[in-house]
């Protein structure tokens, strides 16, 4: 995990790939030119100029850049802000880019005011599996493979090619993010673990530490509770 924020501006080469990675803080990626395919914890989409990808803290994604590459503006999102939808569009990306030269946080405010949803793109079976894994933390991969008529080995290889991670790991991290979002609830950690699909509290603790570097109890001791990067060291 890269706990540092992505650079404000990125120029990404044609045909390049960015292996699956995550940042501790949420940010908005505004495509200024070109485009790429993003496959991550919110699904998979081919994004183009004027589109915005909203990332929560600790979300992971994998990118493939097209024949033109891409110019991207990365803007910080407010602490604790959670998007209702991850893939959006704005009408005037050049204006947001000009504001960002002076004040990135003012550019964020302007971007959030412009956001409109984009139409869904048709997906194939890895996208349907990703949706299922996010929606059902107890999904049995073997049962899903049998139901769809795809050999289990093909499911694992095809999903990893599309998303840069195994379906089992994708499911585990979806559980961890679900539990992390619920840590501000008054329920016991043991109950939260079971609700999120973990075998027990210890299983949940290992998953959240692997995702964030901090234990569930450590997150709960934050006052007020908010998702942020743990201190270095």
């Amino acid at each position: 995990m890269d706990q540092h924020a992505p650079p404000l501006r990125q120029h990404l080469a044609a045909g390049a790939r960015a292996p699956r990675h995550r940042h501790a803080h949420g940010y908005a990626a505004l495509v200024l030119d070109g485009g790429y395919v993003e496959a991550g914890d919110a699904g998979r989409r081919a994004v183009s100029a004027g589109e915005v990808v909203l990332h929560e803290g600790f979300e992971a994604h994998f990118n493939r850049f097209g024949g033109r590459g891409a110019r991207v503006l990365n803007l910080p999102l407010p602490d604790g802000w959670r998007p209702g939808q991850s893939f959006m569009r704005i009408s005037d990306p050049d204006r947001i880019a000009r504001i960002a030269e002076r004040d990135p946080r003012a550019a964020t405010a302007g971007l959030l005011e412009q956001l409109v949803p984009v139409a869904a793109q048709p997906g194939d079976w890895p996208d349907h599996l990703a949706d299922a894994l996010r929606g059902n933390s107890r999904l049995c991969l073997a049962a899903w493979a049998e139901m769809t008529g795809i050999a289990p080995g093909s499911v694992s290889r095809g999903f990893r090619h599309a998303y840069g991670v195994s379906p089992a790991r994708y499911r585990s991290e979806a559980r961890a993010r679900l539990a992390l979002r619920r840590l501000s609830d008054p329920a016991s950690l043991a109950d939260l673990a079971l609700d999120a699909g973990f075998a027990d509290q210890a299983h949940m603790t290992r998953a959240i530490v692997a995702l964030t570097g901090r234990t569930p109890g450590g997150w709960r001791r934050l006052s007020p509770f908010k998702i942020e990067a743990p201190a270095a060291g």
Side-chain angles (χ1 to χ4, degrees):
M1 177 184 69
D2 184 352
Q3 292 186 8
H4 300 288
L8 179 65
R9 290 181 179 271
Q10 286 181 294
H11 294 261
L12 301 154
R17 293 187 180 193
R20 184 172 161 89
H21 61 285
R22 65 171 49 87
H23 299 275
H25 296 285
Y27 71 99
L30 168 60
V31 184
L32 300 176
D33 186 49
Y36 57 93
V37 174
E38 167 140 329
D41 293 337
R44 182 167 58 153
R45 183 180 179 85
V47 296
S48 56
E51 293 193 31
V52 182
V53 186
L54 302 171
H55 303 95
E56 286 189 48
F58 300 112
E59 270 190 6
H61 53 275
F62 166 55
N63 303 117
R64 289 187 176 94
F65 301 97
R68 294 177 55 197
R71 289 192 303 114
V72 180
L73 180 69
N74 296 306
L75 296 171
L77 290 173
D79 287 341
W81 192 85
R82 290 176 181 154
Q85 181 173 324
S86 296
F87 299 107
M88 309 288 277
R89 173 177 287 279
I90 64 172
S91 59
D92 193 353
D94 291 337
R95 174 176 175 270
I96 299 303
R98 290 193 299 271
I99 295 172
E101 294 294 338
R102 306 188 307 271
D103 186 343
R105 297 212 173 258
T108 297
L111 179 139
L112 295 180
E113 291 174 355
Q114 289 191 41
L115 291 175
V116 294
V118 294
Q121 294 176 343
D124 56 13
W125 73 258
D127 303 312
H128 302 322
L129 176 54
D131 288 343
L133 291 170
R134 293 193 301 273
N136 180 3
S137 61
R138 294 176 173 84
L139 181 71
C140 174
L141 290 167
W144 189 92
E146 182 177 359
M147 179 183 66
T148 56
I150 305 173
S154 297
V155 167
S156 181
R157 288 190 299 273
F159 190 88
R160 184 183 291 275
H161 176 76
Y163 279 83
V165 67
S166 72
R169 179 68 177 269
Y170 192 92
R171 179 184 57 195
S172 176
E173 292 182 356
R175 287 174 179 166
R177 291 193 315 280
L178 175 62
L180 186 64
R181 286 194 293 269
R182 293 180 177 177
L183 283 176
S184 57
D185 295 346
S188 71
L189 292 178
D191 287 342
L192 284 176
L194 294 177
D195 288 345
F198 291 102
D200 52 33
Q201 182 178 332
H203 186 195
M204 179 183 74
T205 295
R206 290 193 298 272
I208 289 180
V209 170
L211 187 76
T212 71
R214 177 178 276 142
T215 65
W219 284 114
R220 279 194 158 177
R221 285 192 291 273
L222 289 177
S223 182
F225 179 88
K226 62 180 181 179
I227 303 302
E228 61 180 15

